[in-house]
Each structure stands twice: as C-alpha cells, then as structure tokens.
Amino acid sequence: MSTSKVSAARVAPPKGGGRRKLSLPVVLLVIAGALALVSLVRLISGANDVTSVGQVHGALELAVPIGLAGLGGLWAERAGVVNIGLEGMMVLGTWFGAWAGFQWGPWAGVLFGVIGGALGGLLHAVITVTFGVNHIVSGVAINILAVGLTRYLSNFTFADAPGGSSKQSPRIDAIDKITVPGLSDWMQDLQQRHWFFVSDLAGIVGGVFTGLSLLTVVALLLIPATWWVLWRTAFGLRLRSCGESPVAAESLGVNVYKYKYIAVTVSGALAGLGGAFLAIVSTGIYQEGQTGGRGYIGLAAMIFGNWMPGGMALGAGLFGFTDSLKLRGGAENVHAMLLLLAILLVAAVIWQLYRRKYVAAVVSAAVSALLFTWYALTDQVPSQFVDAAPYVTTLLVLALSAQRLRMPKADGMTYRKGEGK
C-alpha cells in the first residue's frame, strides 16, 4: 500500500459516520448554558423553587433509584440481554431490603436488597441465556412473579410484625446522612437571594451537599465505576463483545455464557439496590407498589443515554427533576417548565432550519407557539398534567433522542454456543 493511501486511511472517518466525542470544556460549557437558561426562566416566571436546595436534594433522591435501574439495564444490554424485568428486580430489592432492614439494621437491608435483585437477575439469565426464551417474555414474567411473590411473603412476615401490615413493613432505621458544615448554610443563603445564575448554581451545590445519604454516595460512585470496568478493563471489553458479536467473541476464546450470566446478575443486583434505596432511604418502609414503574423509567433513561453511563445519569437526573417538580411547588413549577420547553423548541427550530429539515422545523415551531400561548394565558397547569409530567417527559425524551441511538448489535438476540462454527 502506498504512503498516501496509508495516510488517507489514518485520517478517514470511520464508516457509518462516527460521532466526535465531546471534550470536557465543551460539556461544561453546555451545562453552564443550560443552567443559565433555567435561571432565566426562573426569573421570568417567578418560580424561585425550581433550583432551590430542597428541590435539587429531592430530585437527587428521586433520580438515584431510576439511575440504579438504568445502570442495571446497561450492564445487561451491553452483554446482549434485554432486561425488561428491572421493575420486578426492584420490587424484590424493596421487599428483601425492608425485611432484613427492620430486623438487623439498614445496611443489612441494603445487602439483602442487592441479593434479592441479583436472584431475579440470575433467574432472567437462566431463562434467556440457557433456555433461549424471548427476553421480553422473560422480563415480563419476572415482573409479574416478583409482585406476586412479595405480596405472598408480606402476608406472613410483615402482617404479624409490630407496625406492619400485609401491604407494608415496620419502619426501618435510617442510614446516616452527610451535611458539609458551613458550605450548606452558605449555599442556602446565596440561593435565597435569587440572583441570576449564581443563586441557581448555589442551589445545586447546596442540594448535593445537604442531608446526603451515604447510600446516595455509593450509588453516585457506581456510575464512574461502571464506566471504568466496562470501558477500561479487559473484562469489560469481553463483556461488551458479547453484546456486539457473541460469535466473534467465542472465536477469540471468550466464554459468552459466563459473561452474559455475570452481566445479567449484576444488572439485577443494581436494580435491587435501587429498590432497597426506595425502601430504606426514600420512605423508611416497604410499601406494596412503591416502585411505581421506576424500573421502566430507568430503562428509558438508559436508552436516552445511548447505552452509556454518563448519558444514562443525565437521563435519570432529568426524570428525577421532573418528578420532584410535582412534589415541591407542583403546578407553579411545572407551569414554568412550559416556558423552558417553548424556548428549547425555538432553539430546535433554528437547528433544524440550519440542517434544512423544514418539516421538522415547522412542527417544532407550531408546538413552541402552542406552549408559549399556554404559558401566557394561564397561571398554572391542571393537577392531572402535573402528575403526568414525569411520564410525558419520558415519552418526549425518547421520541426526540430516537434518531441518534445505537444499541449493541446483538442486543436481544438468542445465542447458542458453537453456532459460528
């Protein structure tokens, strides 16, 4: 091959039009721009609680279970196994976490919650990897089984316990929380001044460093830990190869079954940890149905994040923030978000015109005008819309991000050892 051809091969873009990775300064600039936009909307609408310390703290607590479920889905799907059963594994985590927590303390509850979710993941692996059952069918079956099993177990465990019933557990002792002395009060004071950008940044910092549960710290550390294991180790490379091309991985000596089993079991364990967080940190008790579809929303966060830990974390944060809006300020905060969405759609119109996608630009402009009109003619939104806001956000995000997604190539496919020979 000539020197010119070698040079051309080195500089040629990858086939399929690979995306350029964003550098850290660019990411920080985008985050700062987004915060400035939120601050502008806060000043215009007067919804000062949108970025308050309490709002951010509540959003973080609501985002953690969703993020853990999404992280679990990422482990499974990177190995080629679709895990619709995340919801059921979270249910197992809530029950086992509460059962052990009220008897032996909260950290024992965390451990048993992880074990409960891991057992659900192991069952999913046996059904899908060993027996080759359709992944969706197996996941739905686990969701149904988990609800029935925990309801049955509650009848003869929690029902006879002091302070418990057939639908909820006795109260569980709380896990220790961290508040940075001085910094928390300073951020609270800055946030209450309602200055542009500065107060919003203070609200975010204060929300993160005020009343932070130790289990929240563990959950946040699991995000970079997952990235390092899956993208910076030989183990992670082998596991991801099972989700891209298990036949090629097998030809290189990778035990595909083993890596799929590990990935799906870890997936269940992470979802179980999310369930234990709900029972021990968020509410302090187990309640029937308390997962509230968070396993499915975690799966949506993972898809929004393009099967990457960082993007998944952003998706979980978005859903947690939207969910927290209805708990603090409710209709007023969601009403302010109408203005934010309208402005974002104006930016989308400009971008679509730049890319000459005129039909999409017209649709975005029409929706933006509708939102501006809705915001201008009303002081608050109906309570039904407030309750539906997290789920509406889920649908909108998935719809808007669908065009840029790339799932693992062998995700959801049935694999049989030796099929490539």
Side-chain angles (χ1 to χ4, degrees), residues 198-253:
V198 175
S199 293
D200 301 279
L201 182 61
I204 292 174
V205 174
V208 171
F209 290 101
T210 301
L212 190 67
S213 169
L214 290 176
L215 190 55
T216 303
V217 177
V218 172
L220 293 176
L221 291 176
L222 285 173
I223 297 171
T226 291
W227 173 83
W228 184 82
V229 170
L230 293 184
W231 274 269
R232 287 294 182 269
T233 66
F235 167 83
L237 178 61
R238 296 188 188 102
L239 187 146
R240 288 186 292 114
S241 71
C242 296
E244 295 293 340
S245 179
V247 174
E250 180 189 345
S251 69
L252 295 174

Side-chain angles (χ1 to χ4, degrees), residues 313-354:
L314 289 175
L318 173 64
F319 298 135
F321 177 74
T322 308
D323 204 9
S324 69
L325 288 176
K326 71 178 184 180
L327 301 178
R328 294 179 56 92
E332 180 184 357
N333 288 339
V334 176
H335 184 251
M337 291 301 101
L338 294 178
L339 179 60
L340 177 62
L341 285 174
I343 296 173
L344 288 175
L345 283 173
V346 170
V349 169
I350 297 172
W351 175 247
Q352 287 159 353
L353 289 174
Y354 172 75

